């Protein structure tokens, strides 16, 4: 068991894989990923980036990212660094919006929202606000 762990750690080191990535690395990746996907989702309908499986995957990945960030990041730092990035997943993964487009106390129902300008924060993401 120890030998396997040592080999794995050695392989990670040789490949440059970070077991625990830095906040800078995560923020850079979030920025690149979210900007790319936000553009892609605008141009596609129900294929590619907007297929049900892609939307579900994005939702799950973003929840993991929010969980990671909630454990290591300073809120003010994130607001500054991700304030202009469409990094909040809404519409069950069909759209990414900027944090300024989210209202925490707004009911996440279409009749209460002013889409695409303002969305209610999905209840599932309440842990991470």
């Amino acid at each position: 068991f120890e030998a396997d762990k040592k080999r794995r750690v050695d392989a990670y080191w040789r490949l440059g894989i970070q077991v625990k990535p830095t906040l800078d690395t995560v923020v850079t990746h979030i920025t690149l990923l979210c900007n790319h996907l936000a553009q892609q989702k605008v141009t596609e309908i129900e294929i590619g980036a907007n297929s049900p499986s892609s939307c579900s995957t994005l939702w799950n990945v973003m929840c993991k990212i929010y969980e990671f960030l909630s454990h290591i990041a300073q809120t003010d730092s994130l607001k500054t660094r991700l304030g202009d990035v469409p990094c909040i997943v809404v519409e069950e993964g069909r759209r990414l919006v900027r944090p300024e487009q989210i209202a925490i106390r707004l009911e996440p129902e279409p009749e209460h929202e002013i889409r695409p300008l303002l969305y209610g924060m999905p209840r599932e993401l309440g842990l991470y606000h």
Side-chain angles (χ1 to χ4, degrees):
F1 178 74
E2 268 315 298
D4 285 342
K5 184 177 178 182
K6 184 175 174 6
R7 277 195 296 269
R8 194 171 344 132
V9 169
D10 186 51
Y12 289 169
W13 181 80
R14 288 178 189 210
L15 294 171
I17 298 171
Q18 298 176 352
V19 176
K20 288 190 175 186
T22 65
L23 179 59
D24 287 340
T25 299
V26 174
V27 168
T28 299
H29 288 182
I30 290 169
T31 302
L32 293 171
L33 174 71
C34 291
N35 281 325
H36 174 75
L37 286 175
Q39 287 300 316
Q40 214 176 25
K41 287 178 166 297
V42 168
T43 60
E44 295 182 6
I45 301 172
E46 289 294 324
I47 57 170
N50 282 328
S51 70
S53 65
S54 292
C55 291
S56 175
T57 299
L58 177 62
W59 181 270
N60 292 328
V61 167
M62 292 307 292
C63 284
K64 292 289 186 187
I65 289 170
Y66 302 147
E67 182 180 350
F68 175 83
L69 291 174
S70 70
H71 291 295
I72 70 160
Q74 299 292 331
T75 304
D76 292 338
S77 172
L78 282 179
K79 285 179 183 177
T80 301
R81 296 171 77 180
L82 295 174
D84 293 331
V85 178
C87 60
I88 308 295
V89 65
V90 295
E91 295 182 14
E92 298 173 344
R94 287 187 295 278
R95 189 168 177 92
L96 288 159
V97 298
R98 293 181 317 279
E100 68 187 22
Q101 293 174 268
I102 295 291
I104 293 175
R105 298 206 189 275
L106 185 67
E107 289 294 318
E109 301 296 328
E111 64 268 13
H112 294 76
E113 298 176 328
I114 309 168
R115 295 179 180 187
L117 302 174
L118 185 66
Y119 292 82
M121 184 166 158
R123 286 184 180 93
E124 300 88 348
L125 302 182
L127 294 170
Y128 313 114
H129 84 278

